[in-house]
Amino acid sequence: AAVVHDAAGSEVFTATAGGGAFVDGLPLRVSAIHEPRRALIGTGFPFKDPADVPPYQRQMSAVMAEVAGVRRPGAASLDLASVAAGRFDAFWENLLSPWDFAAGMLLVREAGGLATDLDGTHLRATAPSSVLVGNPGMHAWLRARLAGA
C-alpha cells in the first residue's frame, strides 16, 4: 500500500498492489505522451556530493535538448505522484533513499507506468537507488537518453 499526501496542494494519492492508484478517490493513469518534444520531465538535483554534479549536468543537457521542459518542483514522492497522475511524462533521479520513492513507485506502477533504476532493473524499495519512472514510451526514451549521457 502507498500514501503520498501533498499538504500544500491538499491532495492525497493512494495505491494498493493490484488495486490501482488514486488521487482523492479518483483513478490515476500515466500520460499517453510518447513524443519527447511534447513531454514534461521531472528530476531531482544532486546536493550531497559536488562530484555528482558533472554527470548530472551531462544528463540534464541530453534531456533538455529534446523535451518540452524539465522541472524540479520538490519532494521526490510528489514528483513520482505527478508521473502517476500524468502531470509529468517521466522522472529520473540518480540517487534516492527508499523512503523517498517507495510509495511513488507503487503509484506509478498501479497507474500503468514503469518504475526501474537507470539501468532498467525492476525498482525495489530495499536500498538507495537511482530512480526512473514514466509511461512506457517515455520511460524507454529517457532510459536510452540517460545511458548516452
Side-chain angles (χ1 to χ4, degrees):
V3 175
V4 174
H5 181 214
D6 179 359
S10 301
E11 292 179 311
V12 178
F13 298 85
T14 59
T16 56
F22 304 87
V23 60
D24 297 332
L26 300 172
L28 293 176
R29 290 302 300 166
V30 295
S31 81
I33 290 175
H34 295 279
E35 300 169 44
R37 71 179 182 271
R38 295 184 54 223
L40 186 60
I41 308 295
T43 190
F45 303 137
F47 62 92
K48 291 182 182 177
D49 184 352
D52 294 335
V53 174
Y56 177 78
Q57 288 174 316
R58 287 189 296 276
Q59 291 174 333
M60 178 69 94
S61 179
V63 172
M64 284 180 67
E66 295 189 36
V67 299
V70 177
R71 302 287 187 272
R72 175 56 181 148
S77 58
L78 292 174
D79 297 340
L80 272 67
S82 290
V83 172
R87 297 171 187 168
F88 286 158
D89 304 298
F91 169 90
W92 96 94
E93 192 159 347
N94 290 333
L95 184 62
L96 288 171
S97 295
W99 52 84
D100 292 321
F101 67 84
M105 169 184 75
L106 183 59
L107 286 166
V108 169
R109 288 180 179 151
E110 288 298 317
L114 301 175
T116 69
D117 65 15
L118 294 185
D119 294 326
T121 302
H122 188 76
L123 191 59
R124 297 178 172 276
T126 56
S129 178
S130 61
V131 173
L132 173 59
V133 301
N135 70 48
M138 288 308 303
H139 181 279
W141 176 86
L142 185 56
R143 182 169 174 249
R145 179 57 57 199
L146 294 172

